[in-house]
Amino acid sequence: MMTRLLCALLLPGMVVTSGLAIAGGRRDAASSPEAAFRELVSYDRPNGERELFGSWRSPTMARLVSADLSRTWTRAGSTQGNFFDGSVLSGRQSVSGASRFDAVRTIRNDGRRSVVETLVTVHIDGRSEQQRQRFTFVFEDDRWKLDEIDYAVGTKPSRSLHAHLLAWMNAFMMDHLRSRAPAKNGVGDDVQVIADRAVDRAKAVYGEWDMNGLHAEVQRCGKAAQATRARAEISSCLGFTWAALRIDTLGSSAFGMPMQLKARDLIEPLENAYMHLGGRYQDAYDLSQTVTRQAIR
Protein backbone atom coordinates (compact mmCIF):
# COMPACT_ATOMS: atom_id res chain seq x y z
CA MET A 1 0.00 0.00 0.00
CA MET A 2 2.80 2.38 0.97
CA THR A 3 4.63 1.57 -2.30
CA ARG A 4 1.55 2.40 -4.38
CA LEU A 5 1.10 5.65 -2.45
CA LEU A 6 4.71 6.68 -3.04
CA CYS A 7 4.37 5.90 -6.76
CA ALA A 8 1.21 7.98 -6.93
CA LEU A 9 3.00 10.91 -5.29
CA LEU A 10 6.26 10.59 -7.20
CA LEU A 11 5.02 9.81 -10.70
CA PRO A 12 3.52 13.24 -11.50
CA GLY A 13 6.75 14.86 -10.37
CA MET A 14 8.77 12.48 -12.52
CA VAL A 15 6.60 13.27 -15.54
CA VAL A 16 6.93 17.01 -14.97
CA THR A 17 10.69 16.70 -14.47
CA SER A 18 10.98 14.59 -17.61
CA GLY A 19 8.93 17.13 -19.55
CA LEU A 20 11.14 19.94 -18.31
CA ALA A 21 14.23 17.99 -19.29
CA ILE A 22 12.88 17.44 -22.80
CA ALA A 23 11.83 21.07 -23.11
CA GLY A 24 15.21 22.13 -21.76
CA GLY A 25 16.93 19.94 -24.32
CA ARG A 26 14.94 21.60 -27.08
CA ARG A 27 15.79 25.02 -25.71
CA ASP A 28 19.45 24.04 -25.62
CA ALA A 29 19.22 22.90 -29.24
CA ALA A 30 17.56 26.17 -30.16
CA SER A 31 19.83 28.34 -28.01
CA SER A 32 22.42 29.06 -30.68
CA PRO A 33 22.52 28.62 -34.46
CA GLU A 34 26.31 28.69 -34.56
CA ALA A 35 26.64 24.89 -34.86
CA ALA A 36 24.32 24.99 -37.88
CA PHE A 37 26.37 27.88 -39.27
CA ARG A 38 29.60 25.88 -38.91
CA GLU A 39 28.03 22.90 -40.67
CA LEU A 40 26.68 25.13 -43.42
CA VAL A 41 29.98 26.83 -44.22
CA SER A 42 31.74 23.45 -44.20
CA TYR A 43 30.22 23.08 -47.69
CA ASP A 44 32.41 25.96 -48.89
CA ARG A 45 34.71 23.50 -50.66
CA PRO A 46 35.03 21.92 -54.12
CA ASN A 47 31.62 20.45 -55.07
CA GLY A 48 30.33 21.28 -51.59
CA GLU A 49 27.89 23.95 -52.71
CA ARG A 50 26.60 21.63 -55.43
CA GLU A 51 25.89 19.03 -52.76
CA LEU A 52 24.10 21.62 -50.63
CA PHE A 53 22.11 23.41 -53.36
CA GLY A 54 22.30 20.96 -56.24
CA SER A 55 18.83 19.44 -56.34
CA TRP A 56 15.26 19.97 -55.23
CA ARG A 57 15.10 19.47 -51.45
CA SER A 58 17.95 16.99 -51.28
CA PRO A 59 18.46 15.51 -47.78
CA THR A 60 21.32 17.96 -47.24
CA MET A 61 19.25 20.94 -48.37
CA ALA A 62 16.27 19.82 -46.29
CA ARG A 63 18.49 19.59 -43.21
CA LEU A 64 20.28 22.92 -43.57
CA VAL A 65 18.12 25.23 -45.71
CA SER A 66 14.69 26.64 -44.81
CA ALA A 67 11.62 25.64 -46.82
CA ASP A 68 11.18 29.22 -48.05
CA LEU A 69 14.76 29.60 -49.29
CA SER A 70 14.68 26.09 -50.82
CA ARG A 71 11.53 27.00 -52.76
CA THR A 72 12.99 30.25 -54.10
CA TRP A 73 16.31 28.60 -54.95
CA THR A 74 14.61 25.73 -56.77
CA ARG A 75 12.46 28.03 -58.86
CA ALA A 76 15.41 30.14 -59.91
CA GLY A 77 17.50 27.04 -60.59
CA SER A 78 14.86 25.49 -62.85
CA THR A 79 15.09 28.37 -65.34
CA GLN A 80 17.56 28.47 -68.19
CA GLY A 81 20.96 30.06 -67.73
CA ASN A 82 23.57 30.41 -65.01
CA PHE A 83 21.32 31.96 -62.40
CA PHE A 84 24.00 32.15 -59.68
CA ASP A 85 27.37 32.96 -61.15
CA GLY A 86 29.68 32.74 -58.17
CA SER A 87 30.01 31.30 -54.69
CA VAL A 88 26.67 31.05 -52.91
CA LEU A 89 28.13 31.32 -49.41
CA SER A 90 30.38 34.30 -50.13
CA GLY A 91 28.35 35.89 -52.93
CA ARG A 92 31.53 36.58 -54.90
CA GLN A 93 32.69 35.69 -58.40
CA SER A 94 36.11 34.36 -59.44
CA VAL A 95 36.60 32.69 -56.05
CA SER A 96 39.84 30.71 -56.19
CA GLY A 97 39.75 28.92 -52.83
CA ALA A 98 37.75 28.20 -49.71
CA SER A 99 36.73 31.24 -47.70
CA ARG A 100 37.58 31.74 -44.02
CA PHE A 101 34.81 32.65 -41.59
CA ASP A 102 36.15 34.45 -38.50
CA ALA A 103 34.73 36.39 -35.52
CA VAL A 104 31.52 34.37 -35.59
CA ARG A 105 28.89 35.65 -33.15
CA THR A 106 25.12 35.52 -32.76
CA ILE A 107 23.78 39.07 -32.72
CA ARG A 108 20.01 38.33 -32.58
CA ASN A 109 18.04 35.31 -31.41
CA ASP A 110 14.42 35.04 -30.26
CA GLY A 111 14.27 31.24 -30.40
CA ARG A 112 12.52 31.23 -33.77
CA ARG A 113 14.78 33.45 -35.85
CA SER A 114 18.43 34.32 -35.32
CA VAL A 115 21.25 36.16 -37.05
CA VAL A 116 24.89 35.10 -37.07
CA GLU A 117 27.46 37.73 -38.04
CA THR A 118 30.88 36.77 -39.35
CA LEU A 119 33.95 38.30 -40.96
CA VAL A 120 34.61 36.47 -44.23
CA THR A 121 37.97 36.34 -45.97
CA VAL A 122 37.42 35.47 -49.64
CA HIS A 123 40.24 34.43 -51.97
CA ILE A 124 39.71 35.92 -55.43
CA ASP A 125 42.22 35.30 -58.21
CA GLY A 126 45.13 34.96 -55.78
CA ARG A 127 44.28 37.92 -53.54
CA SER A 128 42.28 38.08 -50.32
CA GLU A 129 39.33 40.36 -49.59
CA GLN A 130 37.30 40.72 -46.41
CA GLN A 131 33.63 41.46 -45.93
CA ARG A 132 31.24 41.35 -42.99
CA GLN A 133 28.24 39.08 -43.57
CA ARG A 134 25.10 38.10 -41.71
CA PHE A 135 23.47 34.69 -41.98
CA THR A 136 19.82 34.53 -40.90
CA PHE A 137 18.53 31.20 -39.57
CA VAL A 138 15.00 30.03 -38.76
CA PHE A 139 14.11 27.22 -36.36
CA GLU A 140 12.27 24.54 -38.38
CA ASP A 141 11.83 20.82 -37.68
CA ASP A 142 13.63 21.20 -34.33
CA ARG A 143 16.82 22.60 -35.87
CA TRP A 144 18.30 25.84 -37.21
CA LYS A 145 18.20 26.28 -41.00
CA LEU A 146 19.61 28.97 -43.29
CA ASP A 147 16.98 31.44 -44.51
CA GLU A 148 18.98 34.43 -45.80
CA ILE A 149 22.49 35.78 -46.35
CA ASP A 150 23.34 39.47 -46.28
CA TYR A 151 26.58 39.43 -48.27
CA ALA A 152 27.84 42.89 -47.41
CA VAL A 153 26.49 44.36 -44.18
CA GLY A 154 25.76 48.06 -44.44
CA THR A 155 25.35 48.13 -48.23
CA LYS A 156 22.25 47.94 -50.44
CA PRO A 157 19.63 45.28 -49.55
CA SER A 158 19.99 43.83 -53.06
CA ARG A 159 23.22 42.17 -51.88
CA SER A 160 21.16 39.49 -50.11
CA LEU A 161 20.70 35.93 -51.36
CA HIS A 162 16.91 36.15 -51.72
CA ALA A 163 17.14 39.46 -53.57
CA HIS A 164 19.63 37.98 -56.01
CA LEU A 165 17.39 35.00 -56.73
CA LEU A 166 14.25 37.11 -57.12
CA ALA A 167 16.03 39.58 -59.40
CA TRP A 168 17.14 36.70 -61.61
CA MET A 169 13.60 35.30 -61.79
CA ASN A 170 12.12 38.70 -62.66
CA ALA A 171 14.71 39.20 -65.41
CA PHE A 172 14.01 35.70 -66.73
CA MET A 173 10.26 36.34 -66.85
CA MET A 174 10.74 39.56 -68.85
CA ASP A 175 13.09 37.85 -71.32
CA HIS A 176 10.78 34.86 -71.57
CA LEU A 177 7.81 37.08 -72.41
CA ARG A 178 9.78 38.89 -75.11
CA SER A 179 11.10 35.76 -76.80
CA ARG A 180 8.78 32.89 -76.01
CA ALA A 181 9.44 29.54 -77.67
CA PRO A 182 6.85 26.75 -77.63
CA ALA A 183 7.40 25.07 -74.28
CA LYS A 184 6.85 21.41 -73.51
CA ASN A 185 5.97 19.79 -70.26
CA GLY A 186 7.67 16.67 -68.96
CA VAL A 187 5.63 14.23 -71.07
CA GLY A 188 5.84 16.08 -74.40
CA ASP A 189 2.44 17.84 -74.53
CA ASP A 190 2.46 21.36 -75.90
CA VAL A 191 1.66 24.03 -73.32
CA GLN A 192 -0.99 25.48 -75.62
CA VAL A 193 -2.78 22.12 -75.70
CA ILE A 194 -2.75 21.92 -71.89
CA ALA A 195 -3.99 25.51 -71.69
CA ASP A 196 -6.85 24.90 -74.13
CA ARG A 197 -8.05 21.87 -72.20
CA ALA A 198 -7.70 23.65 -68.87
CA VAL A 199 -9.66 26.72 -69.95
CA ASP A 200 -12.45 24.65 -71.55
CA ARG A 201 -12.74 22.57 -68.39
CA ALA A 202 -12.80 25.60 -66.08
CA LYS A 203 -15.46 27.37 -68.15
CA ALA A 204 -17.61 24.24 -68.25
CA VAL A 205 -17.42 23.75 -64.48
CA TYR A 206 -18.17 27.42 -63.86
CA GLY A 207 -21.10 27.39 -66.30
CA GLU A 208 -22.71 24.42 -64.58
CA TRP A 209 -21.93 24.97 -60.88
CA ASP A 210 -20.83 28.66 -60.71
CA MET A 211 -17.93 29.85 -58.53
CA ASN A 212 -18.64 27.58 -55.58
CA GLY A 213 -18.50 24.53 -57.83
CA LEU A 214 -15.31 25.79 -59.47
CA HIS A 215 -13.75 26.33 -56.05
CA ALA A 216 -14.62 22.78 -54.98
CA GLU A 217 -13.25 21.34 -58.22
CA VAL A 218 -9.98 23.23 -57.82
CA GLN A 219 -9.54 21.74 -54.34
CA ARG A 220 -10.37 18.23 -55.58
CA CYS A 221 -8.10 18.62 -58.58
CA GLY A 222 -5.13 19.71 -56.47
CA LYS A 223 -5.41 16.82 -54.03
CA ALA A 224 -5.88 14.24 -56.80
CA ALA A 225 -3.01 15.59 -58.93
CA GLN A 226 -0.51 15.57 -56.07
CA ALA A 227 -1.63 12.09 -55.01
CA THR A 228 -0.91 10.63 -58.46
CA ARG A 229 2.69 11.94 -58.43
CA ALA A 230 2.46 12.16 -62.24
CA ARG A 231 3.81 15.25 -63.97
CA ALA A 232 1.11 15.15 -66.65
CA GLU A 233 -1.62 15.32 -64.00
CA ILE A 234 0.16 18.09 -62.12
CA SER A 235 0.55 20.25 -65.26
CA SER A 236 -3.09 19.67 -66.22
CA CYS A 237 -4.26 20.73 -62.77
CA LEU A 238 -1.92 23.73 -62.80
CA GLY A 239 -3.54 24.94 -66.02
CA PHE A 240 -7.04 24.34 -64.67
CA THR A 241 -6.26 26.21 -61.43
CA TRP A 242 -4.80 29.19 -63.29
CA ALA A 243 -7.95 29.30 -65.44
CA ALA A 244 -10.15 29.20 -62.34
CA LEU A 245 -8.16 32.03 -60.76
CA ARG A 246 -8.60 34.12 -63.90
CA ILE A 247 -12.35 33.53 -63.95
CA ASP A 248 -12.52 34.44 -60.26
CA THR A 249 -10.52 37.63 -60.88
CA LEU A 250 -12.70 38.75 -63.80
CA GLY A 251 -15.93 37.96 -61.94
CA SER A 252 -14.96 39.70 -58.72
CA SER A 253 -13.85 42.77 -60.66
CA ALA A 254 -17.06 42.90 -62.69
CA PHE A 255 -19.44 42.46 -59.76
CA GLY A 256 -17.44 44.17 -57.02
CA MET A 257 -17.14 41.00 -54.96
CA PRO A 258 -14.10 39.68 -53.06
CA MET A 259 -12.16 36.89 -54.72
CA GLN A 260 -12.84 33.39 -53.41
CA LEU A 261 -9.60 31.74 -54.48
CA LYS A 262 -6.15 32.45 -53.02
CA ALA A 263 -3.55 32.08 -55.76
CA ARG A 264 -0.52 31.37 -53.61
CA ASP A 265 -2.22 28.73 -51.45
CA LEU A 266 -3.43 26.87 -54.53
CA ILE A 267 -0.56 27.30 -56.98
CA GLU A 268 2.56 26.87 -54.84
CA PRO A 269 1.89 23.25 -53.78
CA LEU A 270 1.27 22.29 -57.41
CA GLU A 271 4.35 24.11 -58.68
CA ASN A 272 6.49 22.52 -55.97
CA ALA A 273 5.15 19.05 -56.82
CA TYR A 274 5.71 19.73 -60.53
CA MET A 275 9.35 20.73 -60.01
CA HIS A 276 9.91 17.88 -57.57
CA LEU A 277 8.96 15.53 -60.42
CA GLY A 278 11.50 17.14 -62.76
CA GLY A 279 9.43 19.92 -64.33
CA ARG A 280 10.90 23.35 -64.96
CA TYR A 281 9.63 26.52 -63.37
CA GLN A 282 9.78 28.32 -66.71
CA ASP A 283 7.34 25.79 -68.22
CA ALA A 284 4.96 26.25 -65.29
CA TYR A 285 5.26 30.01 -65.69
CA ASP A 286 4.67 29.82 -69.44
CA LEU A 287 1.56 27.73 -68.81
CA SER A 288 0.21 30.35 -66.40
CA GLN A 289 0.67 33.10 -69.00
CA THR A 290 -0.91 31.07 -71.79
CA VAL A 291 -3.91 30.09 -69.69
CA THR A 292 -4.42 33.68 -68.51
CA ARG A 293 -4.52 34.99 -72.08
CA GLN A 294 -6.75 32.14 -73.20
CA ALA A 295 -9.23 32.60 -70.35
CA ILE A 296 -9.87 36.24 -71.31
CA ARG A 297 -11.61 35.26 -74.55
Side-chain angles (χ1 to χ4, degrees):
M1 181 69 178
M2 182 62 69
T3 302
R4 286 199 299 270
L5 181 59
L6 285 174
C7 286
L9 292 172
L10 290 175
L11 186 58
M14 292 169 64
V15 171
V16 170
T17 304
S18 175
L20 289 173
I22 292 172
R26 287 178 179 168
R27 280 197 298 271
D28 288 345
S31 62
S32 172
E34 292 179 23
F37 169 81
R38 295 292 185 190
E39 184 178 2
L40 182 79
V41 298
S42 72
Y43 286 88
D44 183 29
R45 51 179 166 76
N47 298 319
E49 287 190 352
R50 181 177 295 276
E51 181 181 347
L52 179 59
F53 290 102
S55 61
W56 196 94
R57 282 304 260 178
S58 67
T60 305
M61 183 185 286
R63 190 176 74 255
L64 294 175
V65 180
S66 73
D68 185 52
L69 178 55
S70 296
R71 182 165 49 245
T72 305
W73 179 274
T74 303
R75 288 181 174 180
S78 66
T79 59
Q80 292 178 336
N82 186 7
F83 75 100
F84 206 100
D85 186 15
S87 165
V88 182
L89 295 176
S90 72
R92 303 296 293 269
Q93 294 179 328
S94 304
V95 174
S96 53
S99 300
R100 192 175 72 245
F101 298 86
D102 297 321
V104 177
R105 64 192 184 105
T106 301
I107 61 172
R108 285 193 295 274
N109 186 354
D110 63 7
R112 296 181 301 275
R113 195 171 188 85
S114 61
V115 179
V116 173
E117 186 175 271
T118 180
L119 186 63
V120 185
T121 302
V122 186
H123 305 285
I124 302 173
D125 292 334
R127 69 183 190 280
S128 297
E129 296 184 9
Q130 282 191 331
Q131 59 197 61
R132 190 166 297 280
Q133 295 183 349
R134 288 178 181 172
F135 289 69
T136 299
F137 291 83
V138 293
F139 201 69
E140 290 181 359
D141 305 324
D142 292 329
R143 62 179 300 123
W144 288 109
K145 298 183 181 182
L146 176 69
D147 193 59
E148 179 66 291
I149 303 176
D150 183 348
Y151 289 115
V153 175
T155 62
K156 296 180 180 179
S158 61
R159 292 297 307 276
S160 72
L161 175 54
H162 262 111
H164 183 97
L165 297 175
L166 294 174
W168 166 265
M169 290 170 66
N170 290 335
F172 155 75
M173 289 176 184
M174 295 303 296
D175 290 342
H176 194 51
L177 286 173
R178 283 194 292 265
S179 57
R180 181 183 293 106
K184 306 286 184 179
N185 83 337
V187 294
D189 288 336
D190 191 281
V191 165
Q192 186 63 58
V193 174
I194 302 172
D196 290 342
R197 292 172 181 165
V199 171
D200 288 345
R201 178 183 171 193
K203 287 181 176 178
V205 172
Y206 179 70
E208 187 169 357
W209 290 300
D210 65 44
M211 200 61 221
N212 289 329
L214 189 58
H215 187 192
E217 183 64 9
V218 164
Q219 297 286 349
R220 187 207 64 77
C221 164
K223 291 178 181 178
Q226 292 178 73
T228 63
R229 299 190 60 79
R231 205 156 55 186
E233 293 295 329
I234 296 290
S235 60
S236 176
C237 188
L238 259 176
F240 173 73
T241 304
W242 276 119
L245 287 166
R246 185 59 181 166
I247 291 172
D248 190 18
T249 300
L250 293 173
S252 63
S253 177
F255 298 108
M257 299 171 60
M259 292 179 61
Q260 294 189 35
L261 304 178
K262 295 183 179 179
R264 181 171 182 177
D265 293 346
L266 296 170
I267 293 297
E268 281 200 356
L270 288 170
E271 285 184 343
N272 291 338
Y274 179 72
M275 290 186 291
H276 187 53
L277 294 171
R280 299 184 306 171
Y281 176 68
Q282 66 188 70
D283 292 341
Y285 176 76
D286 193 66
L287 177 60
S288 73
Q289 298 299 302
T290 306
V291 167
T292 299
R293 290 194 306 272
Q294 191 83 354
I296 294 174
R297 299 176 186 174

